[in-house]
């Protein structure tokens, strides 16, 4: 039976451009982190808290991926950080061609860190290389401790896992031990950072870990 594989050629083309972007990032000594998470898990809040923690040492820019609107880019810009909004117009993930257009609007030479907020989704962004140095996954407590079992791919693709909204642990039936054990099984190397992005809780530890990665490429 004839078999037409549509996914592989798209990924090959994406990965080729991602490799070019990776080289540009390396040439300019800029560290790029791609945040993956569900809508409402606290990606933008985590970015704002991370910028607060790192802005004295590093020049930071943010790329916002959303299906529509520029509300997140406006939130970042209001804090005084350059932000470029990408609207995917329906696509559930960012691709390297979209990212390239945003990167072309930034002054890479003066930047140390670019944070990408990918489209809110635990499935699609996982497969797409953007030339980033690492993907980081955020899960928030209200989403439930079973998500690593249901969406293993995103937990495996991540170099670190952030558990956000830990301030809400008392009101949700979230089994932290089960969560940690599932993540450790899927991705034994990944550290888990417990934070409450809007309460400045745990952010320091995450930001220091990230700062070491940024310093390593400078
Ligand atoms: N209680 C609590 N709420 C949070 C925390 N982080 C984010 N939120 C709230 O969760 C909602 C979604 O946050 P946002 O950063 O926009 O999530 P995004 O859609 O993933 O970018 C907002 O109402 C935030 O104020 C947290 O650590 N604790
Ligand atoms: Mg957001």
């Amino acid at each position: 039976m004839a078999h037409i594989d549509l996914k592989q050629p798209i990924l090959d083309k994406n990965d080729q451009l991602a490799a070019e972007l990776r080289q540009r990032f390396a040439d300019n000594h800029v560290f790029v982190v791609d945040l993956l998470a569900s809508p409402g898990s606290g990606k933008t809040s985590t970015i704002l808290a991370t910028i607060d923690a790192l802005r004295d040492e590093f020049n930071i820019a943010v790329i916002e991926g959303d299906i529509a609107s520029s509300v997140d880019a406006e939130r970042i810009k209001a804090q005084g950080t350059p932000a470029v909004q990408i609207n995917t117009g329906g696509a559930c993930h960012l691709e390297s061609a979209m990212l390239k257009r945003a990167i072309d609007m930034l002054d890479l030479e003066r930047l140390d860190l670019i944070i990408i907020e990918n489209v809110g989704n635990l499935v699609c962004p996982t497969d797409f290389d953007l030339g980033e140095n690492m993907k980081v996954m955020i899960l928030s407590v209200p989403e439930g401790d079973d998500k690593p079992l249901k969406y293993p791919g995103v937990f495996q693709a991540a170099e670190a896992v952030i558990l956000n909204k830990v301030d809400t642990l008392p009101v949700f039936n979230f089994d932290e031990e089960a969560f940690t054990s599932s993540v450790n099984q899927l991705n034994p190397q990944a550290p888990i950072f417990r934070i409450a992005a809007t309460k400045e809780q745990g952010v320091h530890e995450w930001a220091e870990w990230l700062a070491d990665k940024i310093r390593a490429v400078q």
Side-chain angles (χ1 to χ4, degrees):
M1 196 172 73
H3 173 206
I4 301 171
D5 183 351
L6 293 175
K7 192 176 171 194
Q8 202 51 49
I10 290 171
L11 283 180
D12 288 347
K13 192 162 170 255
N14 180 77
D15 291 358
Q16 219 174 348
L17 187 52
E20 286 170 28
L21 287 174
R22 182 165 283 116
Q23 190 57 51
R24 265 173 81 185
F25 298 146
D27 291 345
N28 287 282
H29 304 278
V30 54
F31 192 86
V32 182
V33 52
D34 177 19
L35 291 181
L36 310 184
S38 303
S41 58
K43 293 180 294 302
T44 309
S45 304
T46 300
I47 291 171
L48 290 168
T50 306
I51 291 171
D52 261 345
L54 297 180
R55 69 190 320 162
D56 288 346
E57 185 175 351
F58 302 110
N59 285 318
I60 306 170
V62 174
I63 295 174
E64 287 291 340
D66 277 296
I67 286 176
S69 95
S70 60
V71 290
D72 279 355
E74 297 307 328
R75 276 169 78 188
I76 305 289
K77 280 191 215 159
Q79 203 202 33
T81 300
V84 180
Q85 181 78 51
I86 301 174
N87 282 143
T88 64
C92 57
H93 59 269
L94 292 176
E95 295 182 13
S96 52
M98 303 174 193
L99 189 71
K100 183 183 179 302
R101 290 177 56 188
I103 294 296
D104 288 343
M105 296 171 74
L106 294 171
D107 183 1
L108 285 192
E109 220 167 287
R110 63 166 286 281
L111 287 175
D112 306 308
L113 171 68
I114 297 173
I115 306 175
I116 302 168
E117 177 170 346
N118 216 311
V119 180
N121 185 320
L122 291 184
V123 185
C124 315
T126 311
D127 281 338
F128 286 84
D129 185 8
L130 300 177
E132 72 281 83
N133 294 78
M134 64 179 183
K135 295 187 191 293
V136 169
M137 199 276 153
I138 305 176
L139 188 86
S140 62
V141 166
E143 294 168 76
D145 55 69
D146 58 353
K147 292 305 167 290
L149 302 175
K150 294 186 174 180
Y151 303 95
V154 66
F155 287 88
Q156 283 165 326
E159 196 154 320
V161 173
I162 293 176
L163 179 63
N164 188 33
K165 307 194 187 180
V166 293
D167 58 307
T168 68
L169 278 166
V171 291
F172 288 97
N173 213 1
F174 189 95
D175 183 340
E176 240 193 299
E177 228 178 272
F179 171 75
T180 304
S181 143
S182 306
V183 173
N184 288 343
Q185 259 177 31
L186 288 167
N187 192 343
Q189 275 85 43
I192 301 174
F193 296 101
R194 304 167 80 261
I195 74 165
T198 52
K199 317 265 170 187
E200 286 172 40
Q201 206 179 318
V203 174
H204 179 76
E205 208 185 350
W206 143 251
E208 261 316 300
W209 180 83
L210 177 59
D212 278 343
K213 305 256 175 202
I214 303 165
R215 291 181 198 119
V217 304
Q218 286 187 329

